[in-house]
Amino acid sequence: VQLQASGGGLVQAGGSLNLSCAASGRAFRHVAVGWFRQSPGKGRELVATISVLGTSIYYTDSVEGRFTISRDNARNTVYLQMNSLKPEDTAVYYCSATHNTWGEAGTTPTAPAFPKDWDYWGQGTQVTVSS
């Protein structure tokens, strides 16, 4: 699975951005997808993830209620709608995919939170939120 992220930019606090990640290959509908972010001097943090069939969604606490992740398997694309942005959301955002079938019937309900648990990565897209 090859991933191509887009949609980053500069926005004022309180504004919105919509990130997209287009995937190549038929395997997209068989992988969970998610967004990580990394700011200078910090580790890569899981922001949101959606399971293979879209049954389960996880958000890190700091973005709950402001960000929305979704996937369109027909278009091989995952989105991250970011509203009410804050300066602390400033980071490079990465889309990622994993063969971990979390959150579906008969599988673990726990989302894979660590970068080492993810199999595919797109290039990052910079999101900068000014105060």
Side-chain angles (χ1 to χ4, degrees):
V1 178
Q2 292 183 316
L3 303 169
Q4 180 76 34
S6 62
L10 172 64
V11 64
Q12 288 187 331
S16 298
L17 284 173
N18 189 23
L19 304 184
S20 298
C21 180
S24 63
R26 291 175 289 180
F28 179 79
R29 60 192 64 199
H30 302 297
V31 295
V33 287
W35 292 91
F36 283 75
R37 66 185 179 187
Q38 188 168 17
S39 51
K42 294 186 177 181
R44 198 166 291 192
E45 171 195 30
L46 177 63
V47 175
T49 176
I50 184 168
S51 60
V52 173
L53 300 177
T55 303
S56 299
I57 290 175
Y58 164 86
Y59 297 102
T60 192
D61 287 346
S62 61
V63 309
E64 183 81 53
R66 299 188 297 121
F67 290 11
T68 301
I69 188 171
S70 60
R71 65 185 297 163
D72 185 340
N73 285 352
R75 289 184 168 83
N76 279 12
T77 303
V78 57
Y79 304 95
L80 185 68
Q81 176 66 42
M82 305 186 296
N83 298 328
S84 302
L85 283 161
K86 303 175 181 180
E88 51 263 44
D89 295 317
T90 295
V92 177
Y93 284 70
Y94 298 89
C95 60
S96 186
T98 176
H99 290 287
N100 184 319
T101 56
W102 78 280
E104 300 296 344
T107 68
T108 176
T110 303
F114 302 104
K116 66 177 180 63
D117 298 322
W118 292 73
D119 302 299
Y120 308 98
W121 293 90
Q123 92 294 357
T125 185
Q126 176 71 46
V127 171
T128 303
V129 184
S130 63
S131 57

